Amino acid sequence: VQLMEAGGDSVQAGGSLRLSCVVSGDTSSSYYMAWFRQAPGKERDGIAAIRTNGKTTYARAVRDRFTISRDDAMNTLYLQMSDLKPEDTAKYYCAAQPPEQRLEHFPFMAGAYNSWGQGTQVTVSS
């Protein structure tokens, strides 16, 4: 499966953005999907995940500000981001993996995901 993110931009603090991630290739399968982000010099961190049944998990840093959703008919994953802060500046990646037990307990285990997009840059200025 191939993933392609879009929607990154430069915004002022307090602004909003919506990222999208289009899935192509083997779209006949259901995937556990997630958004990660990586700032320069830092590790890639998981911030939002969504199971095939729609259940979501968020990292504390983005809870109540970001919303992950999926449109399986359009093979697209979304990340609605609001009240953006300078510390949200990073490259954002989407990831996909067929459902497996370890993701139920560790949805932000980057090594568990085999499919990644190329990333989209989000820059938030104060």
Side-chain angles (χ1 to χ4, degrees):
V1 66
Q2 292 79 48
L3 308 177
M4 178 70 75
E5 303 96 335
D9 205 347
S10 296
V11 297
Q12 296 277 339
S16 300
L17 281 175
R18 187 176 81 157
L19 306 183
S20 61
C21 171
V22 176
V23 181
S24 60
D26 181 12
T27 58
S28 63
S29 301
S30 296
Y31 296 95
Y32 198 107
M33 301 196 71
W35 286 98
F36 288 74
R37 68 184 183 186
Q38 187 169 21
K42 296 189 176 181
E43 293 186 353
R44 188 172 297 190
D45 292 327
I47 56 171
I50 186 166
R51 297 162 178 80
T52 55
N53 63 5
K55 184 178 179 182
T56 57
T57 302
Y58 294 94
R60 184 175 300 178
V62 305
R63 197 172 297 157
D64 299 327
R65 298 189 298 124
F66 291 9
T67 301
I68 187 172
S69 62
R70 61 192 298 160
D71 183 339
D72 289 335
M74 298 296 291
N75 298 317
T76 303
L77 177 74
Y78 299 100
L79 184 69
Q80 179 67 47
M81 305 186 294
S82 61
D83 191 23
L84 283 161
K85 307 180 183 204
E87 51 264 41
D88 294 319
T89 295
K91 197 164 188 179
Y92 285 68
Y93 299 86
C94 64
Q97 180 68 13
E100 55 179 87
Q101 190 64 31
R102 59 179 172 169
L103 287 177
E104 290 294 324
H105 300 288
F106 307 105
F108 300 140
M109 179 187 289
Y113 292 88
N114 288 331
S115 299
W116 293 85
Q118 84 292 344
T120 186
Q121 180 68 36
V122 173
T123 302
V124 184
S125 58
S126 57

